[in-house]
Amino acid sequence: NNNNNNIFTNNTQKWAFVTTSIGDCRAFHYSIQSRKIQELTSSPRESLQSVQDPGGRLGAYVGAEGKPDLRNLQSCLQICEPDDYIVMVTDGVSDNFDPRMQGLSPCQIGLKMQKNWNNIASIEEHEAIDHFVNKCIRELIEKHEIISNEMQTSTSTSNISNLGLSNSTS
């Protein structure tokens, strides 16, 4: 079968991340090549009636039959390149990146002319918050990448030094 839409062509090695989420956990993909982050799951927070509502849950919950709550069931597939990052976080982690939880005002995250969160339209607010959360996750990944690279360089230098010492003593 010669399918022109096949993403796995020319014997190139491709990776895919597949996840299914229920509730309000989030998943992100960070591309090493483009240095961009993409949220793979959508946050259900704007549609929830309370912060204690996870947006979905497994196990007996809905109705007399005790069916699972699948309101926020999401599946995604993300094609990845080698060295890309996949970050999955619980709502407890992503909530702490929320600028409101950090005590930041709307104008501190780029919403001009807004002094408090009460005067902002819901869609604009959520887009700005999502952008801010993505920026925080991207910065953490990039700091991790720098530290990892420095540690690899340090280890390589140490190994070279050890080789040099052992060669000079023989």
Side-chain angles (χ1 to χ4, degrees):
N1 185 356
N2 190 6
N3 185 351
N4 290 334
N5 294 327
N6 188 351
I7 60 171
F8 303 106
T9 59
N10 301 329
N11 294 326
T12 59
Q13 188 175 32
K14 294 284 185 180
W15 299 92
F17 171 73
V18 179
T19 188
T20 298
S21 174
I22 207 170
D24 51 5
C25 294
R26 294 165 96 173
F28 301 86
H29 169 252
Y30 178 80
S31 168
I32 289 291
Q33 289 180 341
S34 70
R35 300 278 188 218
K36 292 185 180 176
I37 192 157
Q38 174 186 2
E39 184 171 358
L40 302 176
T41 54
S42 59
S43 174
R45 289 283 185 205
E46 56 271 9
S47 63
L48 301 179
Q49 297 176 1
S50 116
V51 293
Q52 296 169 334
D53 180 0
R57 51 187 89 163
L58 296 175
Y61 178 70
V62 177
E65 309 88 39
K67 294 181 179 177
D69 178 2
L70 304 177
R71 287 177 292 152
N72 192 38
L73 177 65
Q74 303 174 60
S75 293
C76 67
L77 172 120
Q78 176 65 43
I79 303 302
C80 303
E81 298 296 327
D83 298 323
D84 282 0
Y85 287 82
I86 297 293
V87 177
M88 299 178 68
V89 297
T90 65
D91 63 321
V93 173
S94 62
D95 286 353
N96 281 293
F97 290 119
D98 187 315
R100 296 169 296 188
M101 297 290 270
Q102 293 184 27
L104 299 175
S105 69
C107 63
Q108 288 176 293
I109 68 162
L111 291 172
K112 305 290 184 222
M113 308 299 288
Q114 300 295 330
K115 294 183 180 181
N116 63 53
W117 293 102
N118 299 331
N119 302 332
I120 298 174
S122 178
I123 293 172
E124 181 184 17
E125 175 183 345
H126 291 290
E127 286 175 356
I129 290 169
D130 286 345
H131 178 74
F132 184 82
V133 169
N134 290 355
K135 178 181 169 244
C136 291
I137 301 262
R138 185 185 73 244
E139 288 172 356
L140 279 176
I141 292 168
E142 289 173 350
K143 284 179 187 175
H144 174 266
E145 185 181 2
I146 290 169
I147 291 168
S148 294
N149 290 340
E150 287 175 357
M151 288 176 61
Q152 287 176 353
T153 301
S154 174
T155 303
S156 296
T157 304
S158 176
N159 288 340
I160 290 169
S161 296
N162 289 340
L163 286 174
L165 287 173
S166 63
N167 287 339
S168 64
T169 58
S170 54

